[in-house]
Amino acid sequence: VRPNSPELRELLAEIAEGASEREAQRIAPYEQIRLIAEAGLGRLRIPVAEGGAGATLRELFEFLIQLAEADSNVAHILRVHYWFVEAQLQRPAADPLRARFLGLVNQGHILGNGFSEQSDRAVGLYFDTKLTPDPSGKGYRLNGKKYYSTGSLYASYTQIFASTPKGTIAAATIPVDRAGLKLEDDWDGFGQRLTGTGSTILNDVFVAEDEVEDFGDPDRQETPSYQYSFLQLFLQALAAGILRSVRNDAVALVRRRKRSFSHAQTAHPTEDPQVLQVVGEIAADSFAADAIVLAAAD
């Protein structure tokens, strides 16, 4: 499914159907994530030559606003997935990890994450989660607990960040059904309730050598990139999509009202200039939010 295509509009309409009921009744959108994966939307940003749709950043964020308008939970679930893809696109073309990880995405896998921890060490990049050599001499063992693992409940792979015995930071990209890995939908904090933002528990999980990327010294000077800005702009795209849905709700509310007021200027709310002004202000805010997000994407 390509950006701004009739097929995409049909898919978004299908995802939007029942979104408010899912939110109210806490029905996890597994089916909606499956539809997105089967439509190939997880690989929008991957170049055509490497198996994707070759979408620009602007086209991706246009899609994310549209998806958040349909169901903001579904859009939020995919935040780390698209960040993972974007990180691979920053690798050199000859980097074997680029081909390996983009290959997972091209196979239809959705990526989750295990980064944040409730650690006593709040300053600096440090993880209580440990990656240690397996006693057999082949691969590693992963132990620890993550929280705030947005999207992982709906993913088939997850990327877990951990400390190594050498004092470096590494990430293990592994399937979520690996023995010893457990995902819990136990998030009770702020934010959206259906994003799978719960705990990831790692109990002696085996990790193969080629599933690990060592990032080196956590205090090293990083090469400047837009990766963290991408993550933040993603949230602004969600907000823009939610504002679109507020606009839609306002329009629907006015259209279904039959009764006006004694001091109104017209008999029908849809013709009342004061009512239309309020709806127009909401629509103008929505238009501005779209424009800001897409200008930043450019």
Side-chain angles (χ1 to χ4, degrees), residues 58-114:
R58 183 186 180 92
E59 288 174 326
L60 173 65
F61 279 98
E62 284 178 333
F63 161 67
L64 293 174
I65 292 171
Q66 294 164 358
L67 182 58
E69 178 185 6
D71 188 329
S72 60
N73 283 295
V74 172
H76 201 160
I77 286 165
L78 298 169
R79 181 180 179 225
V80 172
H81 172 87
Y82 284 114
W83 174 77
F84 178 87
V85 172
E86 206 65 29
Q88 310 319 311
L89 297 179
Q90 301 309 298
R91 298 181 188 274
D95 188 332
L97 286 178
R98 174 177 173 130
R100 175 182 175 83
F101 291 147
L102 290 184
L104 290 177
V105 178
N106 281 332
Q107 291 167 26
H109 293 293
I110 299 296
L111 275 292
N113 84 106

Side-chain angles (χ1 to χ4, degrees), residues 1 11 18 74 76-77 91 135 137 144 159 161 167 188 210 248 257 266 274-275 278:
V1 173
L11 180 60
V74 172
H76 201 160
I77 286 165
R91 298 181 188 274
Q159 188 175 58
F161 287 78
D188 61 355
D210 63 355
N248 299 343
R257 282 191 69 93
T266 64
Q274 290 181 302
V275 173
V278 174

Side-chain angles (χ1 to χ4, degrees), residues 113-148:
N113 84 106
F115 187 90
S116 301
E117 297 181 353
Q118 290 179 317
S119 173
D120 292 335
R121 287 186 54 168
V123 178
L125 189 61
Y126 174 85
F127 297 108
D128 289 325
T129 301
K130 303 293 183 184
L131 192 67
T132 57
D134 186 79
S136 68
K138 296 181 179 180
Y140 305 90
R141 291 288 168 173
L142 191 58
N143 288 278
K145 183 177 181 179
K146 302 288 187 175
Y147 86 119
Y148 208 66

